[in-house]
Amino acid sequence: MKEVCFGVDIGGTTVKLGLVSREGDLLDKREFPTFRDVGATFDDIAGHMRQVLDAFPDCVCVGAGVGVPGPVVGQCRVVHCANLGWMDVDIARELSGRADVPVRVANDANLAALGESWQGGGKGCRNLVLFTVGTGVGGGIICDGRIIAGASGGGGEVGHMPVPFHTDWQCGCGKQGCLEVTASATGIIRAARQYSPFKEMDKVNAKDVYDAAAAGDQNAQAVVKEAATALGYAAAAVSCVVNPEVILLGGGVSAAGSALLDPVEASFKANVLDACGNVRFALAQLGNNAGIYGGAALFFAE
């Protein structure tokens, strides 16, 4: 019998569920809507798990690793999922009781980092930091092969590190000067809106700014450089604490490729302690499947 594990990524609108072998092969994947009601959500997930296993009679399921958008305590209980309206939900108990398999739970961004360390851009590395740069900035930290979740599940919230850029801009968390307000797509657009031609455009996205920078627009180049410099500064600060082997950049903004990676790495080298500076920079590889792989890694990458 082949050992398999479910990776389950619960988002605000959809659930991504995959069946992964111990060898790291994604055997089956499906997506379906997330219900705001806790019971309905886990009834639905358990039902899909049974359907998938029926199609793989030669496999034995060792568990399910679940990612949720909120701080997780003890690999079982989510404290608060703001975009689902969930408060203090024991996810491990809710799902294991319905699916009759062991369940382990982690924050979704932390789980993505674990997935990347197991089968993605950091494969083979047991010490890794992931920055996911999209509408906001998220991430995760893996030390000695394990997620750093912290005492109350807030470990790895790299987007809310204070950095000395736009210290008067308020973040969605209520604080000012977080990395997210400068380095995210939202921050890049906000900064670009100060200049022509962006302030005259009805709609602007981060790709518009990167394209303009590549075409030689000096204002766009300044905005892009500032965002990358802030990311590199934050990466240097994290590295002085956890000393990773590799730093990965993921999320929508990472589609800029070397236009993002190169200045981030330059800023990192300018700010990091020499003893912590031997770090490889790379792009994340697993995309939307990172949480699924991370869920399986909770059981297979021990």
Side-chain angles (χ1 to χ4, degrees):
M1 299 285 281
K2 176 184 289 189
E3 288 191 340
V4 295
C5 180
F6 282 102
V8 186
D9 187 356
I10 302 177
T13 57
T14 62
V15 177
K16 299 179 186 70
L17 181 146
L19 188 68
V20 184
S21 70
R22 180 174 287 279
E23 294 74 30
D25 297 318
L26 182 58
L27 305 176
D28 189 282
K29 179 188 173 184
R30 57 183 64 189
E31 295 186 24
F32 43 93
T34 306
F35 297 103
R36 294 185 70 83
D37 178 78
V38 171
T41 292
F42 292 107
D43 284 343
D44 198 35
I45 292 172
H48 281 282
M49 290 170 63
R50 286 189 289 270
Q51 290 175 16
V52 172
L53 287 177
D54 285 345
F56 291 88
D58 60 336
C59 293
V60 57
C61 181
V62 302
V66 181
V68 288
V72 173
V73 177
Q75 286 197 334
C76 62
R77 180 170 57 87
V78 66
V79 178
H80 182 205
C81 280
N83 57 358
L84 288 172
W86 294 358
M87 294 288 291
D88 198 21
V89 177
D90 191 329
I91 290 173
R93 183 176 63 192
E94 293 285 349
L95 184 56
S96 62
R98 290 169 166 84
D100 196 28
V101 296
V103 174
R104 297 172 184 171
V105 188
N107 169 266
D108 55 0
N110 288 340
L111 211 57
L114 186 63
E116 290 286 350
S117 72
W118 183 44
Q119 294 292 335
K123 188 173 183 177
C125 296
R126 294 181 59 80
N127 296 279
L128 171 151
V129 176
L130 170 67
F131 288 85
T132 56
V133 187
T135 303
V137 176
I141 299 171
I142 307 300
C143 282
D144 196 24
R146 296 183 179 274
I147 290 171
I148 298 298
S152 57
E157 289 287 357
V158 293
H160 299 288
M161 295 174 58
V163 295
F165 303 84
H166 297 297
T167 54
D168 58 334
W169 284 11
Q170 186 165 335
C171 181
C173 72
K175 307 296 184 183
Q176 292 178 314
C178 293
L179 173 64
E180 183 169 297
V181 304
T182 298
S184 68
T186 306
I188 289 169
I189 293 165
R190 181 176 179 179
R193 281 286 192 186
Q194 299 176 87
Y195 309 110
S196 294
F198 305 107
K199 64 182 177 182
E200 287 87 22
M201 296 169 61
D202 291 336
K203 293 183 179 180
V204 180
N205 59 44
K207 185 178 183 300
D208 295 329
V209 183
Y210 272 93
D211 286 348
D217 185 292
Q218 292 185 349
N219 289 327
Q221 289 172 347
V223 169
V224 167
K225 181 178 179 181
E226 181 180 63
T229 300
L231 275 170
Y233 181 98
V238 172
S239 294
C240 289
V241 179
V242 298
N243 192 198
E245 302 163 73
V246 60
I247 293 174
L248 299 179
L249 300 181
V253 174
S254 69
S258 61
L260 176 67
L261 270 179
D262 292 349
V264 170
E265 187 170 3
S267 173
F268 170 84
K269 289 179 177 178
N271 287 288
V272 73
L273 178 70
D274 286 347
C276 303
N278 187 23
V279 176
R280 176 171 65 88
F281 278 76
L283 296 177
Q285 295 181 357
L286 299 178
N288 289 332
N289 292 335
I292 290 174
Y293 281 100
L298 286 175
F299 287 86
F300 289 153
E302 297 179 288

